[in-house]
Amino acid sequence: MSTLLVPYYEHPAVRPAEWAAVLAAAPRLYGVVLNPASGPGDRPDAAFARTAAGLRAAGVTVLGYVDTGYGRRTHDDVVRDLARHRAWYGTEGAFLDQVSSGIGEFGHYERLAAAARALGCPTLALNHGTGPHPAYAALAELLVTFEGPWSAYRHTPARAQAPAPGALACHLVYGVPPGADVAAAARARGARVHCAVPGDGPHPWGTLPHGLHPPR
């Protein structure tokens, strides 16, 4: 099974070598999160469209990034962004960010999950960033049950973040030093999918995962 999810939030025209490294890693990838403008933006971006097409041709699942604001963004606004990703970039899935973890917002996300699948996105990832209510496992293929720095992750108890049956767990770890075995740490904590990047601060997902290197 391919175990690496790549949320790489840089423009292909600015970082073409880095995107080439992502494409070269296609056999290892669970999927790539496409994020042109904290979402799809207001108009199609030709560079992102070419990148998405290349990834799809290599057999990589492309997930369109949409912020849900922990349930504060309306259903219509989120669905509009999902539809734009699908129409402009041919996304085959959705990566919903800032997803609530409590049962009180479950109905809202249940409707969003149904809308995403109706638009033609069979792969749905929900980024809770922490362990959500077990009910969410029925909505998605992937639940991000940890997002945070290596300094915190390495102290997380084993198996503490595994979701209920029905979805795979994913852990997104930043500030990871060279040589840290995040893949083993993720498996020990019940996550089948992960990403580990060296970047830190307000924009860690502007760095490539460990093990992916631009061609020389």
Side-chain angles (χ1 to χ4, degrees), residues 11-12 34-50 65 80-81 83-90:
H11 198 282
L34 204 73
N35 187 11
S38 296
D42 295 326
R43 60 187 61 84
D45 185 306
F48 272 104
R50 288 191 296 271
Y65 174 97
R80 178 201 64 208
D81 283 355
R84 286 177 173 177
H85 271 300
R86 186 84 176 104
W88 297 346
Y89 306 115

Side-chain angles (χ1 to χ4, degrees), residues 1-174:
M1 174 186 169
S2 301
T3 59
L4 182 62
L5 179 71
V6 179
Y8 185 56
Y9 300 159
E10 293 291 333
H11 198 282
V14 177
R15 299 285 180 85
E18 285 78 1
W19 275 106
V22 174
L23 182 60
R28 298 170 49 196
L29 304 184
Y30 176 90
V32 171
V33 182
L34 204 73
N35 187 11
S38 296
D42 295 326
R43 60 187 61 84
D45 185 306
F48 272 104
R50 288 191 296 271
T51 296
L55 290 167
R56 292 196 311 274
V60 178
T61 299
V62 180
L63 309 174
Y65 174 97
V66 181
D67 185 5
T68 72
Y70 296 107
R72 292 187 297 271
R73 290 194 74 203
T74 68
H75 176 88
D76 289 348
D77 284 348
V78 173
V79 172
R80 178 201 64 208
D81 283 355
L82 291 170
R84 286 177 173 177
H85 271 300
R86 186 84 176 104
W88 297 346
Y89 306 115
T91 52
E92 303 142 315
F95 182 89
L96 300 187
D97 197 19
Q98 298 199 109
V99 175
S100 299
S101 58
I103 194 62
E105 295 78 27
F106 179 80
H108 174 66
Y109 287 102
E110 187 175 36
R111 289 179 62 218
L112 288 177
R117 298 192 194 287
L119 287 168
C121 295
T123 302
L124 181 61
L126 303 180
N127 183 11
H128 305 275
T130 188
H133 188 281
Y136 284 94
L139 299 184
E141 282 63 49
L142 198 68
L143 299 184
V144 179
T145 59
F146 180 92
E147 181 179 0
W150 172 250
S151 58
Y153 188 61
R154 62 194 182 94
H155 297 298
T156 303
R159 298 288 174 181
Q161 301 293 333
L168 298 176
C170 173
H171 293 167
L172 303 179
V173 190
Y174 53 82

